[in-house]
Amino acid sequence: MDWGTLQTILGGVNKHSTSIGKIWLTIMFIFRVMILVVAAEEVWGDEQNDFVCNTLQPGCKNVCYDHFFPISHIRLWALQLIFVSTPALLVAMHVAYRRHENKKQLRKGGQTCEYKDIEEIKLQRFPIQGPLWWTYTSSIFFRMIFESLFMYAFYFMYDGFQMPRLVKCNVWPCPNTVDCFVSRPTEKTVFTIFMIAVSAICILLNVAEFCYLLMKVFLKKSRRAASPRHHPNHETKEESKQNEMNELMSGSCQNTVLGLQNS
Amino acid sequence: MSWVFLRDLLSGVNKYSTSIGRIWLAIVFIFRLLVYVVVAEHVWKDEQKEFECNIRQPGCENVCFDHFFPISHIRLWALQLIMVSTPSLLVALHVAYRENREKRHKQKIYKNPGSMDGGLLCTYLISLICKTGFEIGFLVLFYKLYGGFNVPRLVKCDMKPCPNTVDCYISKPTEKKVFLYFALVTSCLCVVLNVSELSYLIFKYTIKCFLKRYDKEVPTLKR
């Protein structure tokens, strides 16, 4: 159980994403998850052990570390990645629901051509229109919100993105103001800036995808308004649904109980 | 043997769940199991080594740590995850039993071995009740053992062989508190989902039964 699970889940959503969405997913996995796992964990590995305070007072180091690092950078990033990836599940659930509805409809419609159709339903790619458009757009919206919230939380907790070399601590039981030294501050600063930069790029990609989806809908509506009104909206929707069903029901049929059982 | 085994077992149960059950499964996988393995385990990694008491008396730190943490938070959390996931296996076992029965008798006994009716519905409801019970049980245990979900910075210890009352400092208390609250919120969310799924199923099948009985009665009345 590790980041591979997240990759499997998000990989399934990739099929139903726009091109910008696919770029976002690639950046997520290569520049964020992989960097987090491969590099950042080594750098932050012994952060409390190597946090040294200029005092022999027992407990002072623990308390100072807790005061200056309430939640470690690495944990915040991991939580950010998990929260930012989960809106994509909304899309995955919507797609699964549509596939389930299609399967039910086909079963009621025709008893003979089931095996091949269910396989086609499983591989079917839904265009981002109608209710799926709303689900997809909401997922992008939530992604942007989570990214911004975590970036703000980071900035707020650590007063910027730089890791200091020395922090002055006077929390009880430290006897006076005590100098505490952070381990590998420059390396940590470099990784922090890198992760923040990639996070900003991801926000920009999300904004671009959001605008692209909005533009697509507005252009479509204006095209429909401009073209002559032979087919009102609800008829084209029904027609396209019927076309979908016809496409799925055409083709050779194989009568196997296995197909029914597998569904 | 690792969490992957549990994940694979639970993925198999996904097929026989309702939509609320699938949402519950997604929450357990992503917000509980994944967060536990990838994030939370590292926070509690060196908890005894970093537990420091203001004393040089040998054995005092060990005894104090054992007194204040009879079972570590992280181990309790892991036990909770395991116990809460396993009732779902009852459903998978029941479906496997049905399929096995069909194979043995070499005829189609059930319309669909995975469809939720009769015995399988009872098994599913029992698994929901067990899941909710375990969730609440572990939350109560957490509360009783640690006096809530708060992790103090400092604990005062006067166990033998510590000579007097000694100050002991817990490592990363704020981070641990954040993750314990996270575990509490996800646990409560799962309880709410289980209770709603239970109510939904009971309501749905009561209405179904009632309608069936009504349909049988109406023709007899007409006669």
Side-chain angles (χ1 to χ4, degrees):
Chain A
M1 188 83 197
D2 56 6
W3 293 106
T5 315
L6 200 67
Q7 191 178 11
T8 319
I9 297 171
L10 290 183
V13 178
N14 198 21
K15 211 165 41 167
H16 301 95
S17 304
T18 59
S19 337
I20 305 176
K22 287 174 188 170
I23 297 171
W24 175 86
L25 217 65
T26 314
I27 289 180
M28 267 291 283
F29 283 109
I30 297 178
F31 293 104
R32 297 176 86 177
V33 175
M34 235 173 93
I35 298 291
L36 185 76
V37 170
V38 167
E41 280 190 0
E42 299 291 320
V43 178
W44 270 268
D46 276 326
E47 58 177 323
Q48 192 172 346
N49 277 344
D50 295 339
F51 182 78
V52 168
C53 288
N54 190 1
T55 184
L56 283 175
Q57 169 64 46
C60 178
K61 186 178 103 159
N62 277 10
V63 157
C64 288
Y65 180 83
D66 183 62
H67 178 78
F68 286 100
F69 302 106
I71 306 178
S72 168
H73 290 71
I74 205 99
R75 249 78 68 184
L76 257 185
W77 283 331
L79 281 176
Q80 182 184 13
L81 288 179
I82 293 172
F83 273 87
V84 153
S85 311
T86 38
L89 284 183
L90 290 174
V91 177
M93 283 191 213
H94 190 133
V95 165
Y97 170 75
R98 285 256 306 254
R99 282 197 180 134
H100 179 73
E101 292 291 304
N102 276 358
K103 278 184 207 167
K104 258 200 318 200
Q105 270 184 351
L106 274 176
R107 267 196 216 127
K108 281 190 194 156
Q111 289 294 318
T112 44
C113 312
E114 308 229 15
Y115 176 69
K116 184 97 186 203
D117 298 331
I118 281 165
E119 282 301 304
E120 283 190 42
I121 289 170
K122 280 185 188 164
L123 299 168
Q124 189 190 15
R125 184 188 173 273
F126 295 103
I128 304 174
Q129 290 168 5
L132 187 61
W133 182 90
W134 284 102
T135 310
Y136 195 83
T137 317
S138 331
S139 80
I140 297 179
F141 181 73
F142 282 118
R143 253 190 248 166
M144 288 194 291
I145 300 278
F146 286 139
E147 288 272 23
S148 321
L149 274 174
F150 272 94
M151 274 180 80
Y152 177 71
F154 219 95
Y155 190 84
F156 179 75
M157 261 200 269
Y158 295 106
D159 242 347
F161 302 119
Q162 191 177 5
M163 184 69 84
R165 259 186 201 172
L166 160 73
V167 289
K168 290 194 184 283
C169 176
N170 59 2
V171 187
W172 190 86
C174 302
N176 298 302
T177 303
V178 151
D179 289 338
C180 292
F181 300 90
V182 178
S183 75
R184 301 193 238 211
T186 312
E187 204 169 356
K188 286 177 180 170
T189 307
V190 166
F191 275 106
T192 306
I193 292 175
F194 181 85
M195 293 297 258
I196 296 294
V198 178
S199 190
I201 292 172
C202 286
I203 292 180
L204 286 173
L205 281 172
N206 287 333
V207 168
E209 200 178 0
F210 194 72
C211 296
Y212 165 72
L213 286 169
L214 286 174
M215 224 172 55
K216 209 168 118 176
V217 158
F218 287 139
L219 282 174
K220 213 176 184 178
K221 280 197 173 154
S222 60
R223 248 182 253 150
R224 243 185 236 154
S227 67
R229 285 187 175 229
H230 290 305
H231 304 284
N233 270 357
H234 66 272
E235 274 178 31
T236 39
K237 264 194 207 159
E238 274 181 21
E239 262 188 20
S240 62
K241 260 194 186 160
Q242 188 58 47
N243 283 337
E244 236 178 66
M245 297 266 281
N246 288 340
E247 267 174 63
L248 289 167
M249 287 174 87
S250 67
S252 58
C253 313
Q254 286 181 31
N255 276 335
T256 46
V257 176
L258 206 64
L260 273 167
Q261 279 187 345
N262 280 348
S263 69
Chain B
M1 191 84 181
S2 66
W3 293 106
V4 176
F5 180 68
L6 192 71
R7 181 198 72 184
D8 292 338
L9 276 174
L10 285 180
S11 308
V13 175
N14 198 22
K15 270 190 285 191
Y16 315 117
S17 304
T18 60
S19 358
I20 305 178
R22 283 171 196 177
I23 296 173
W24 175 87
L25 218 64
I27 288 178
V28 166
F29 272 170
I30 294 174
F31 291 106
R32 298 178 83 179
L33 265 178
L34 186 64
V35 168
Y36 173 89
V37 173
V38 160
V39 191
E41 248 183 349
H42 300 289
V43 180
W44 272 268
K45 197 167 67 168
D46 282 324
E47 59 173 327
Q48 190 169 353
K49 227 196 285 178
E50 290 162 2
F51 181 78
E52 207 175 350
C53 290
N54 190 1
I55 187 96
R56 276 176 145 175
Q57 170 65 46
C60 179
E61 262 182 24
N62 279 13
V63 158
C64 291
F65 183 82
D66 184 61
H67 175 75
F68 286 101
F69 301 105
I71 306 176
S72 171
H73 298 100
I74 201 80
R75 250 76 66 191
L76 253 185
W77 191 353
L79 279 173
Q80 183 187 23
L81 285 176
I82 294 170
M83 298 300 277
V84 149
S85 313
T86 37
S88 306
L89 295 177
L90 290 174
V91 177
L93 284 170
H94 194 139
V95 173
Y97 163 76
R98 279 185 170 189
E99 284 169 354
N100 205 22
R101 217 172 144 213
E102 276 189 344
K103 259 191 218 161
R104 255 188 300 134
H105 295 273
K106 289 184 188 141
Q107 61 177 346
K108 206 166 167 52
I109 304 174
Y110 305 101
K111 190 167 70 179
N112 176 16
S115 73
M116 211 170 311
D117 51 18
L120 189 62
L121 174 67
C122 286
T123 310
Y124 197 82
L125 291 174
I126 291 170
S127 79
L128 281 174
I129 294 170
C130 288
K131 267 190 240 174
T132 314
F134 283 136
E135 289 275 19
I136 296 174
F138 271 92
L139 287 177
V140 167
L141 188 63
F142 250 112
Y143 197 83
K144 284 239 141 83
L145 270 177
Y146 297 107
F149 294 89
N150 189 32
V151 181
R153 255 186 200 178
L154 160 73
V155 287
K156 288 192 185 285
C157 175
D158 58 1
M159 307 286 295
K160 277 200 185 137
C162 304
N164 299 301
T165 304
V166 152
D167 289 337
C168 291
Y169 301 91
I170 297 172
S171 73
K172 306 190 217 179
T174 311
E175 207 165 359
K176 287 176 181 172
K177 204 191 323 190
V178 166
F179 282 103
L180 284 178
Y181 278 120
F182 187 85
L184 169 68
V185 165
T186 47
S187 193
C188 293
L189 184 63
C190 287
V191 166
V192 165
L193 283 172
N194 285 335
V195 167
S196 15
E197 198 180 358
L198 196 63
S199 332
Y200 162 73
L201 283 171
I202 293 174
F203 181 71
K204 183 174 154 189
Y205 285 95
T206 314
I207 299 283
K208 218 176 179 179
C209 257
F210 179 74
L211 284 172
K212 251 190 222 166
R213 215 185 284 169
Y214 181 73
D215 281 338
K216 275 190 197 154
E217 282 178 9
V218 165
T220 53
L221 279 169
K222 277 186 178 168
R223 275 186 228 145

